[in-house]
Every structure is written in structure tokens, then in C-alpha cells.
Amino acid sequence: HTGSGDLISRMVWMNEPKSQKREGNRLLVVSTSKTDFWRKTFYGYITDNGHFFSTEASGDFTFQARVNGRYAALYDQAGLMVRLDAENWMKCGTEFFDGRRHASVVFTRDFSDWSTMPDLSDTAAIWWRAVRKKDAIETLCSVDGEKFTSVRQGYFVPGSKVHVGIMCAAPEGPGFEATFSELKLDLG
């Protein structure tokens, strides 16, 4: 188990955001406009320029963080990501569309797929958890960090060393501020 302070100091950015500020074990990140992670399905494009702050992990692990944001524009999103490469990744978190927050999960194996449900809260921070076991990842969320609701399970390439961490993006809007805290990575 790694405390969030040590963990944050070991993490690196893929696609640096417009701005980022660390306050103790909290990260305030402002995403850049026209950023997203998506491959092909339905929308026909590939975009891989969202912001991803990660560390490496291999084998089974549990990663979680408390996530909130000033969600306002279509598809504003903030949450977690597990990534092997540009064709194999998973993101989960809160995403804004139809005028409200949703719990959103995308699994990508060359082609992205997407599932959503109403978010657990329209205002509160949400704890998101990604659990990698064997050839799968389970995503869960919670309003209190204690009782977690399973949102989705999906296939993920087993064994390989991956990057795991937090992500945010602003596909349509001008960019928005997301807050991440209580980052925790447990291996095995």
C-alpha cells in the first residue's frame, strides 16, 4: 500500500493539462479544451489527447481516488484510467451530458465502448475504484468511500505492466477544473 503523497510524487503526465496544482494530497487540474480518449466506435474518430496522470503497476491491483469537478459542458469528465497502450485502455468516472452528471465507463480494445448510469450525486465528490484481477477490471463507485457500487466489469489484457492513475478531459467545452484526492494503489 502506498500513501497518496508518495504515490503522487511517483506519477507522471501523459498530455499535460492547461494547469495543475498540488495542495498536499489533493490535485487541482484544469483540462484543456478539445481533449478526450476515444477510438472509432459510432463517432468514427480516434482521439487520445486527454490528460492522464499515472504510475506503473503489473499484475493484480486496486486503485482508487476521490474525484469531483465543476462539470458544466457536454462530456466534461474526470476519473480513473488503466492503460496498456493507445488501443487497450479503460476509463471510468463522472461525465457530464444531458444536463447532468453520469457514472461513465469506457473499455477499449481497438474499438471503444461506453456504458453510463446516473451519477451517485449531482454535487458531491465520488470515490472511484478500479480493481484488476486476472483478465478483467471491475469499476466501482461510492459517495462515502466505504460502501461501493459495482458499475461494470470488462476484459483487460492480463499480466502486462500497465499505467494506472487519474484522467480528465473536456471534449466539447472550454476546459474545466477537476479535483482529485485520496489516491491509493494497493498491489496484489
Side-chain angles (χ1 to χ4, degrees):
H1 168 71
T2 307
S4 58
D6 303 338
L7 183 58
I8 289 171
S9 64
R10 291 206 322 262
M11 295 170 79
V12 292
W13 282 105
M14 170 185 155
N15 306 326
E16 284 218 20
K18 187 184 289 182
S19 75
Q20 47 154 331
K21 188 168 68 178
R22 183 173 167 183
E23 295 177 346
N25 291 333
R26 266 173 24 120
L27 278 172
L28 276 61
V29 182
V30 178
S31 55
T32 306
S33 179
K34 305 286 182 259
T35 50
D36 200 2
F37 292 107
W38 186 263
R39 286 186 67 84
K40 303 178 183 179
T41 310
F42 188 76
Y43 302 101
Y45 57 75
I46 294 174
T47 177
D48 199 38
N49 64 353
H51 312 298
F52 179 40
F53 189 59
S54 72
T55 188
E56 285 188 329
S58 50
D60 294 354
F61 60 77
T62 298
F63 177 75
Q64 75 179 42
R66 187 171 183 241
V67 184
N68 207 348
R70 295 184 180 166
Y71 307 98
L74 184 62
Y75 305 134
D76 278 355
Q77 60 195 265
L80 315 184
M81 187 176 215
V82 178
R83 181 183 176 98
L84 175 63
D85 54 33
E87 290 83 36
N88 295 274
W89 50 264
M90 181 284 307
K91 67 177 179 180
C92 61
T94 295
E95 186 160 356
F96 194 81
F97 62 90
D98 291 342
R100 61 168 300 195
R101 289 168 35 158
H102 292 77
S104 167
V105 184
V106 174
F107 274 87
T108 296
R109 291 173 66 201
D110 191 19
F111 289 83
S112 294
D113 67 34
W114 187 29
S115 63
T116 67
M117 68 181 200
D119 207 356
L120 299 179
S121 168
D122 282 327
T123 53
I126 303 292
W127 275 263
W128 276 91
R129 178 181 285 173
V131 181
R132 184 189 193 193
K133 277 197 187 129
K134 298 180 184 169
D135 64 351
I137 293 176
E138 181 178 17
T139 60
L140 307 97
C141 60
S142 170
V143 280
D144 60 8
E146 302 291 323
K147 184 173 172 280
F148 280 80
T149 300
S150 179
V151 183
R152 187 165 172 200
Q153 289 182 348
Y155 173 82
F156 202 86
V157 186
S160 312
K161 185 177 279 188
V162 295
H163 284 91
V164 56
I166 54 174
M167 73 85 207
C168 57
E172 302 283 338
F176 78 106
E177 184 180 291
T179 310
F180 302 91
S181 59
E182 298 181 50
L183 279 64
K184 194 171 85 168
L185 177 63
D186 292 312
L187 301 172

